[in-house]
Amino acid sequence: MVSDSISAVPIPSAANTKNPGKKKRTNRSAKLKQYKIDARREQWLSQVSGAVKSKGCKDGVEDDIVRAPPPAVNHGKLSLEPLNTRREGEEDDGLVHHDSDSESPTNCPAGVLCGNDSGTNFTGSSSGGSSSSSSSSSGGCCSGNITEEEEEEEEGEDDDDGCLDDWEAMADALAADDKHENPCSDSPPVVLPREGSNLGSPNSKPESSRLVPWGSGSNRAWRADDAFRPQSLPNLSKQHSMPNPDRRCVGGVPWGRISTPSPCPICCEDLDLTDTNFLPCFCGFRLCLFCHKRILEEDGRCPGCRKPYECEPVETEASVHGGSLTLRLARSCSMIERS
Amino acid sequence: MQASKARLFKEYHEVQREKTVDPDIQLVCDESNIFKWTAFIKGPSETPYEGGVFQLAFSVPEQYPLQPPQVRFLTKIFHPNVHFKTGEICLDILKNAWSPAWTLQSVCRAIIALMAHPEPDSPLNCDSGNLLRSGDVRGYQSMARMYTRLAAMPKKG
């Protein structure tokens, strides 16, 4: 599979790069983020094109659509071992593009732009190798990510800000595959980055950083328990599992149990939360605040024990001093009677 | 007003539900006025009122249950605490000892208890009170039993 893809990549990339360029112009306003990526890519390309020209790679620098050919050519010329990893990454990018394209048309510009380097490689190689490379897609993406991270840490910051969540999710999801890929991709990042793969990396970087997590994330990362899963997405399992027990345990039970079965014995209205916490008399007779006020206005005695209601401040002292309680009560009673 | 009505409606449902619970008390609400109730209570056993059924008239104030219902005997009864002519009842819980926690049903129970345990020291029926206060329990019982038969028992031929 790898060899097929390698052989297939350079040809279509050179042939099809013009179409993506047109598409890119039309779709440039699709996303601001994508626009930033494009701008950065152009910077890279301008730099690299100069470097490539100095190197004398003519075919890669052809005209306006500089970006795609150079990486492909450079990869082909520079080294074969890095190529393997790089090609894998490109393949997988292609697969990812398919996913993203099918998911949302807004990702098309990204797919086109990203496809500059390996262009229609995706259509050709992924059609043949989609089934097989899908299994290795995670590994390929990982290799790309690793190389890019190592290569351009300072450059990746902006992009990473945008897709930090995806990056982390990717890293978590692909942690196992990294270990497999690392031995292969350890050397190439060192070799490639400095020279040619500055071209390849900007191209593949946004893809892998931005698209791969989304494409592969739809398969892997966004599970119900995924922490990076967008909260705006409806999650049936969460909605059913999380809030209901809370409501039942916290809100539902006390209200249901306390309020409905215990109406105010005086007015037969259900006691609300304040009333249930209102204990005006030591005999434990509960009633609603409304009835309590009315009773205080009339004779001021507890309906349960017929003892006069104590004033609120006395309530605390009452348990301590029995004697002073009676005095105060008498006073309060007299006040009520006078009024 | 609303509170008293709600309370009375609840008591009405309680009465309907517990009709068979207390066979000595039959509380009936006036069909057109929930503030007018009628109760039929059986004279407690081992008293001169045994075998009689006494009719009580309840007049519930709008401030109920903060204020006690006005209750009087419609059936003639010879009792120290019941006015012989008006049927007025001298019962503390219907006056100053009233508690909003009480219900019409509990008032009926209290009246039954009063029939079994008269309080001759605060008489409304002075004749009856004097009999008891003078220690003539037998005279009191015979008089009470006579009036029970006369007024509170169904007349069979």
Side-chain angles (χ1 to χ4, degrees), chain B residues 42-61:
Chain B
K42 289 182 180 176
S45 60
E46 300 180 5
T47 64
Y49 313 105
E50 185 176 4
V53 176
F54 299 86
Q55 187 175 0
L56 300 172
F58 285 80
S59 178
V60 184

Side-chain angles (χ1 to χ4, degrees), chain A residues 234-252:
Chain A
N235 192 348
L236 293 179
S237 61
K238 262 189 183 179
Q239 285 178 350
H240 286 301
S241 63
M242 293 291 290
N244 282 341
D246 290 344
R247 280 174 196 157
R248 282 172 191 165
C249 295
V250 178

Side-chain angles (χ1 to χ4, degrees), chain A residues 265-266 268 294-295 301 303 306, chain B residues 7 10 66 96-97 99 102:
Chain A
I266 309 305
C268 300
R294 288 178 64 190
I295 289 174
R301 290 182 305 171
R306 290 205 190 87
Chain B
R7 163 72 180 255
K10 191 204 175 192
L66 295 185
N96 52 4
S99 162
W102 284 61

